Amino acid sequence: MSSNAEKFASEVDVTGFPGDVLPEQQKYEHPLVQRYATKEMSAIWSPAMKFTTWRKLWLALATAEQELGLQITDEQLDQMRSHLYDVDFAKAEEYESKFRHDVMGHVHAFGEVAPLAMPIIHLGATSCYVGDNTDIIQLKEGLKLVRRKLVQVLAVLRDFAQKYRDLPTLGFTHYQPAQLTTVGKRCTLWMQDLLLDYERVSYELENLPMRGVKGTTGTQATFLELFDGDHEKVKLLNQKVCSMMGFDKCIPVSGQTYTRKIDFHILSVLSGIAQSAYKMCGDIRLLANLKEVEEPFAKNQIGSSAMAYKRNPMRSERVCSLARYIMSLPAGAANTHANQWFERTLDDSAIRRIILPEGFLAVDVVLNLLQNIADGMVVWPRVVEKHVMDELPFMATEVILMECE
């Protein structure tokens, strides 16, 4: 008779599973979307946002071209306006498979529902007109959401700092006992970092330019051809499109794409937020070990499957884990920018599809967690006082030394 160990060895495939088992769970699910991120930030980076924005950009371009004299009818624009949101993704994929080109797949899918407009959809534009401008719009919307959440976190931390402004606590330098500070004063260190991040986010929002209408290599050659060499009309076309899409600024010069240094700047700002969050949550984890502070702990939360007495600072640990990832992303953006040859190479595409959305999705989670932690953080004043009293005789030495001088 076989032992259970032998049955395990012969009957259990430890490296896989049958192909017909759990068919709905055989595809990788991204934890940032499935487990952590909010609907708000997910929506900004969703296919719905991306491809409806493409259609809005095509409509803005055609509208501006008509205003500047091209033969585009009101009926064509009416059809485009009527079909901004009914994107047939299956049809677009069918066309993409045929043409091996995602933008042309969506041009033809749009043209099917707006047949009168088919001849003028994407007129004079290159793929980066919709691709890059949509990326910039998503960056802008992502930054606006991040800024709003920074304000919310700062408001909660302000209340915490005020509540504990007069509670003396042991300060640490080199993680060794130093002179006294207060629990509220320590919180202002976290707030100052996040305020600096807020200022950086605001700067990027105020100065973020749209790519605009630039053509295949940034010379606007196709648009100059459409407007019979009239440079002023092409300049006006660029200004009108940017204004219709909600931008006061457009990038002064470009190759085929906007400079990828902008991506680096944006991800660097997100990295800064992650650094601030990591520092704050690192402090909270250390304070939790000292039992001076605790994260919010749910009624039915289990601290450890084996050690029921534990109160692990799981939210702060999650923040630090995600922050570590966010802080790694600017390196990818820096290398992408540095490796763009001349007017453009396509080796920027795949990595940007990953690092731009993931940076924002992860920061979104981090800021939600910071607000949750700060809003429910528990301080144990008697433990704080005990640690102060334990070190008080040693802290007196500084006063004694001053008197001796």
Side-chain angles (χ1 to χ4, degrees):
M1 180 179 293
S2 299
S3 68
N4 285 322
E6 290 170 332
K7 289 177 181 178
F8 182 91
S10 63
E11 297 175 15
V12 178
D13 179 3
V14 297
T15 61
F17 50 86
D20 59 347
V21 170
L22 305 173
E24 298 302 316
Q25 280 71 45
Q26 289 192 23
K27 186 183 293 185
Y28 174 74
E29 295 181 347
H30 202 302
L32 275 176
V33 176
Q34 298 295 328
R35 188 177 178 90
Y36 299 129
T38 64
K39 289 182 179 179
E40 291 175 291
M41 190 61 83
S42 293
I44 290 170
W45 296 96
S46 69
M49 175 70 172
K50 176 177 179 178
F51 295 112
T52 59
T53 302
W54 282 16
R55 291 191 174 188
K56 292 171 190 176
L57 284 161
W58 283 321
L59 176 60
L61 178 62
T63 301
E65 287 173 335
Q66 185 204 49
E67 287 183 357
L68 292 168
L70 294 192
Q71 294 303 305
I72 294 172
T73 68
D74 291 344
E75 290 75 19
Q76 289 174 311
L77 297 179
D78 288 342
Q79 277 199 351
M80 292 175 76
R81 268 194 305 273
S82 298
H83 294 283
L84 293 176
Y85 301 107
D86 55 349
V87 180
D88 187 337
F89 286 96
K91 182 63 66 175
E93 288 176 11
E94 183 182 318
Y95 278 120
E96 183 179 347
S97 297
K98 178 180 178 180
F99 300 127
R100 304 297 299 166
H101 198 289
D102 59 344
V103 173
M104 293 313 298
H106 278 271
V107 167
H108 282 262
F110 197 9
E112 277 206 9
V113 295
L116 291 177
M118 184 62 192
I120 56 94
I121 295 173
H122 202 66
L123 183 60
T126 186
S127 297
C128 284
Y129 168 70
V130 287
D132 271 32
N133 282 320
T134 295
D135 289 344
I136 288 286
I137 289 166
Q138 289 174 302
L139 292 174
K140 180 180 179 180
E141 293 305 308
L143 285 172
K144 284 161 66 175
L145 181 56
V146 166
R147 182 167 67 174
R148 189 164 79 241
K149 292 195 174 186
L150 276 169
V151 171
Q152 292 168 349
V153 173
L154 284 164
V156 176
L157 287 173
R158 174 203 59 203
D159 293 343
F160 180 89
Q162 289 179 336
K163 181 177 180 180
Y164 293 104
R165 63 190 299 172
D166 296 324
L167 179 60
T169 189
L170 197 60
F172 290 93
T173 57
H174 313 273
Y175 199 41
Q176 300 299 313
Q179 288 296 308
L180 294 180
T181 182
T182 73
V183 172
K185 165 62 170 59
R186 178 176 283 145
C187 178
T188 64
L189 298 177
W190 308 333
M191 292 177 66
Q192 178 173 247
D193 287 347
L194 291 167
L195 183 59
L196 290 171
D197 296 324
Y198 172 86
E199 291 169 353
R200 287 287 313 279
V201 170
S202 296
Y203 176 85
E204 293 298 338
L205 272 172
E206 291 163 10
N207 292 278
L208 185 65
M210 190 173 175
R211 174 191 176 273
V213 179
K214 296 295 186 182
T216 55
T217 58
T219 64
Q220 300 177 310
T222 51
F223 296 104
L224 285 167
E225 187 175 339
L226 284 173
F227 288 99
D228 299 320
D230 190 329
H231 287 262
E232 288 306 312
K233 280 192 174 182
V234 174
K235 287 180 182 178
L236 277 173
L237 177 71
N238 192 41
Q239 292 169 9
K240 283 176 176 291
V241 169
C242 290
S243 178
M244 278 190 277
M245 296 307 297
F247 283 80
D248 298 325
K249 298 179 181 180
C250 57
I251 197 161
V253 295
S254 75
Q256 187 173 94
T257 68
Y258 68 79
T259 172
R260 297 312 187 209
K261 185 172 279 287
I262 289 175
D263 296 343
F264 172 75
H265 286 167
I266 300 298
L267 286 173
S268 295
V269 171
L270 300 187
S271 171
I273 295 170
Q275 294 160 35
S276 302
Y278 200 118
K279 189 269 188 289
M280 170 180 161
C281 289
D283 285 355
I284 291 170
R285 291 164 68 188
L286 292 169
L287 291 168
N289 174 260
L290 296 173
K291 294 183 169 53
E292 292 188 4
V293 165
E294 276 187 7
E295 283 187 357
F297 202 84
K299 179 181 178 182
N300 296 315
Q301 183 174 332
I302 296 172
S304 168
S305 61
M307 296 166 281
Y309 57 87
K310 294 190 75 180
R311 310 275 280 193
N312 298 335
M314 293 168 58
R315 292 173 177 85
S316 292
E317 290 173 315
R318 191 181 311 152
V319 167
C320 291
S321 183
L322 289 168
R324 194 177 302 130
Y325 175 66
I326 298 163
M327 287 186 282
S328 74
L329 297 179
N335 280 292
T336 299
H337 172 250
N339 282 285
Q340 285 297 285
W341 302 345
F342 301 111
E343 280 65 48
R344 194 266 171 96
T345 54
L346 195 59
D347 61 344
D348 64 339
S349 179
I351 189 171
R352 293 177 70 252
R353 290 173 188 261
I354 298 169
I355 62 177
L356 294 180
E358 290 191 1
F360 277 92
L361 289 166
V363 163
D364 182 54
V365 180
V366 163
L367 291 173
N368 284 346
L369 285 167
L370 289 188
Q371 184 174 353
N372 177 267
I373 293 165
D375 194 40
M377 193 154 48
V378 178
V379 177
W380 298 107
R382 291 188 179 181
V383 178
V384 173
E385 182 185 12
K386 179 182 183 303
H387 291 156
V388 169
M389 298 308 294
D390 287 346
E391 300 295 333
L392 202 57
F394 303 104
M395 282 187 277
T397 57
E398 184 173 356
V399 177
I400 295 169
L401 288 170
M402 294 289 289
E403 291 296 324
C404 290
E405 291 180 2

